Amino acid sequence: MGALPTYRWRLAPDGYATRRQLRALGLRPGGQDVAAQLERPRRRRGPLVAYLYRIDLAKPVRPMTPARRAALEAAMVARRTCPNCRRDAGYCIPPSLGMCVPCDTAAQNAA
């Protein structure tokens, strides 16, 4: 595997985009390999790297099907449901708590 062309942060040539930038354009990489990379230097750690894809080889985003929409909705309901009280919290349950905020507060007060 050859070395990827590397550009400094914000200095990539036209025609390249990250996954997020492709998504904002309504595109996806579509199976193409990474074409280049961006590097952003940091002081005490290694550089941040962002992979770039060619826009001309990108394909349109697949349309949302009713089955996919239902699966995403079910996944979000599962993330919002408190395992303790079994109620929909109305927000995604924080993994650090593992339960809704009222249940966590009650558990802390009981301890």
Side-chain angles (χ1 to χ4, degrees):
M1 181 174 151
L4 290 174
T6 303
Y7 302 101
R8 294 210 24 113
W9 204 252
R10 298 180 189 247
L11 296 177
D14 291 337
Y16 291 101
T18 62
R19 282 183 178 269
R20 285 188 179 189
Q21 290 168 337
L22 286 176
R23 186 62 184 212
L25 295 171
L27 301 171
R28 61 185 168 97
Q32 65 173 299
D33 291 331
V34 175
Q37 66 182 9
L38 290 176
E39 282 192 354
R40 179 179 177 207
R42 296 191 291 181
R43 291 186 183 202
R44 293 188 173 91
R45 294 184 279 177
L48 285 175
V49 176
Y51 296 113
L52 300 172
Y53 300 90
R54 290 183 41 188
I55 295 175
D56 59 337
L57 298 178
K59 295 181 180 175
V61 174
R62 293 184 188 114
M64 182 67 72
T65 63
R68 255 170 104 191
R69 188 176 308 280
L72 286 172
E73 182 64 31
M76 291 307 294
V77 167
R79 288 183 68 191
R80 291 191 315 258
T81 303
C82 176
N84 228 16
C85 64
R86 293 290 189 209
R87 285 185 290 181
D88 186 342
Y91 54 87
C92 289
I93 304 293
S96 59
L97 297 180
M99 60 185 81
C100 65
V101 174
C103 288
D104 183 58
T105 304
Q108 286 180 359
N109 290 340

